[in-house]
Amino acid sequence: MKIIIRIFRLLMSTAFRGFSLHQKLEFYFVIFFAIASPIIDLIIFKIIASLFVGSSGDNNLYLLFAVLVILFSANAILKYFSKIKKIECINRIIQLLNKYSNSILKSNINWLRMSCLESLNILISFGHVLIISMFSIFLNWFLGISLLGIASLFLIYFNLLFNRENVNQKKIRFNSKLVAYQRGEQNVLSRVKAAERVALVVNFEFFIFFAILIHLYSQEIINSQTGLIFLFIMRFICSNLMNAGSAMMRLARGWANIFDRFDTLTDSSRLG
C-alpha cells in the first residue's frame, strides 16, 4: 500500500501545482464522486429489496419504481462521465510530469500512466468497500462488522500478494536471459495468475457469507429484506475486491518499469 500512497500523493501534488482552478475542482469532484457513489448504490439496493419483498405496500410500488429508475439512470450517467474525466485528468498529470522531468521516462511514460490510473482505481475500490461496509453496520451491526472485518483481512492479503508479485515483475524485467517476447509472456502470465488467485479467494469468501445469510434467515434472525440487501452488498464488495486485486497486479507490472526513476519524477514535480 505504501507504493499506492506514494503514487497518489504524486498525482495530488502535481494536480495542485499544475492544474487551473477549474481543472482542480473537476479532478477533486471526480475523486469525491467516485469514492462516494456506493451511497447511491446502497439506496438502490434497499429500494430493490423493498420491491421484491413488497414491504412498502402496493400504493407506493410505482413511486418506488420511478425513484429507482431516476436514481439508477443518474448514477449510471455520473459514473460514465466521472470515469471519462478521470482518464482525462490522469492524462493531464502525465503530460505535466513528462514536461517537468524532461521526458526522463521516455517510452516508459505509458507505464507511469497505467500505474497512476491503477493506483487511483485501487483506492477508489477500497473506498467503496469501506463506505458500503460502514453503512451496512446501520442495517445490521453483526453482518456489517463481519463485512468490515473480512475487508480488512483481504487488505492484508492483497498487500502480501502485491509485494510478492512486485518482486516477480522486477526479476522478469532484469532477467537478461529472456528475450523481449519471453519477458512479455512471463509478465502477463505471472500477473494473471496472481489476479486469478485473488478472484478465487474472493469468490470462496462470497460463498461462505452467502451460506451464513441462508442460515440466519432460516433461523429467523434476519428477515428476507435484510438478507436480500446484504446479498447485494456482499456481491458489490466482492466485485470491488476483485477489481482492486486485479488492479494491484497490473500496478505491480507497471511499477517494476518505473520504480527506479520514481524519486526523480517526484522531485521534478516539486520543482515544476
Side-chain angles (χ1 to χ4, degrees), residues 181-241:
Y181 82 90
Q182 291 175 325
R183 191 175 291 112
E185 287 175 352
Q186 292 198 22
N187 279 333
V188 174
L189 183 61
S190 177
R191 175 181 63 77
V192 170
K193 282 183 176 179
E196 289 305 313
R197 281 196 293 270
V198 168
L200 181 64
V201 173
V202 171
N203 281 318
F204 182 71
E205 195 67 40
F206 173 75
F207 176 78
I208 293 176
F209 192 82
F210 177 71
I212 293 173
L213 282 179
I214 296 297
H215 174 73
L216 293 176
Y217 176 70
S218 66
Q219 298 298 313
E220 298 183 351
I221 298 174
I222 60 173
N223 57 34
S224 57
Q225 182 176 355
T226 300
L228 189 56
I229 290 173
F230 271 92
L231 182 62
F232 288 143
I233 287 175
M234 189 58 189
R235 186 69 263 179
F236 178 85
I237 288 177
C238 285
S239 178
N240 275 277
L241 286 174

Side-chain angles (χ1 to χ4, degrees), residues 165-179:
E165 183 60 21
N166 190 30
V167 172
N168 289 339
Q169 291 291 336
K170 288 178 181 177
K171 287 181 178 178
I172 294 172
R173 177 190 170 187
F174 293 109
N175 190 340
S176 58
K177 297 180 180 179
L178 298 176
V179 296

Side-chain angles (χ1 to χ4, degrees), residues 151-167:
S152 300
L153 291 176
F154 270 112
L155 181 61
I156 297 172
Y157 172 68
F158 286 173
N159 190 54
L160 293 173
L161 200 59
F162 171 74
N163 290 336
R164 184 187 305 170
E165 183 60 21
N166 190 30
V167 172

Side-chain angles (χ1 to χ4, degrees), residues 70-231:
I70 293 171
L71 281 175
F72 186 83
S73 300
N75 196 31
I77 292 171
L78 286 172
K79 283 183 178 180
Y80 170 78
F81 282 107
S82 67
K83 287 179 180 179
I84 298 300
K85 289 297 181 181
K86 177 179 66 178
I87 295 175
E88 290 179 358
C89 291
I90 293 293
N91 286 338
R92 290 195 203 109
I93 291 173
I94 296 302
Q95 290 174 5
L96 289 170
L97 288 172
N98 199 35
K99 176 183 175 183
Y100 294 157
S101 65
N102 294 319
S103 303
I104 188 175
L105 286 178
K106 298 180 181 178
S107 60
N108 282 348
I109 192 67
N110 285 325
W111 288 117
L112 175 64
R113 189 191 316 277
M114 186 191 78
S115 298
C116 290
L117 185 59
E118 297 300 348
S119 295
L120 197 54
N121 288 337
I122 292 164
L123 290 175
I124 290 171
S125 292
F126 280 130
H128 288 177
V129 172
L130 177 62
I131 289 175
I132 207 78
S133 298
M134 293 294 291
F135 272 84
S136 66
I137 293 175
F138 294 100
L139 299 176
N140 185 291
W141 69 268
F142 174 74
L143 292 175
I145 291 176
S146 298
L147 285 177
L148 196 58
I150 291 171
S152 300
L153 291 176
F154 270 112
L155 181 61
I156 297 172
Y157 172 68
F158 286 173
N159 190 54
L160 293 173
L161 200 59
F162 171 74
N163 290 336
R164 184 187 305 170
E165 183 60 21
N166 190 30
V167 172
N168 289 339
Q169 291 291 336
K170 288 178 181 177
K171 287 181 178 178
I172 294 172
R173 177 190 170 187
F174 293 109
N175 190 340
S176 58
K177 297 180 180 179
L178 298 176
V179 296
Y181 82 90
Q182 291 175 325
R183 191 175 291 112
E185 287 175 352
Q186 292 198 22
N187 279 333
V188 174
L189 183 61
S190 177
R191 175 181 63 77
V192 170
K193 282 183 176 179
E196 289 305 313
R197 281 196 293 270
V198 168
L200 181 64
V201 173
V202 171
N203 281 318
F204 182 71
E205 195 67 40
F206 173 75
F207 176 78
I208 293 176
F209 192 82
F210 177 71
I212 293 173
L213 282 179
I214 296 297
H215 174 73
L216 293 176
Y217 176 70
S218 66
Q219 298 298 313
E220 298 183 351
I221 298 174
I222 60 173
N223 57 34
S224 57
Q225 182 176 355
T226 300
L228 189 56
I229 290 173
F230 271 92
L231 182 62

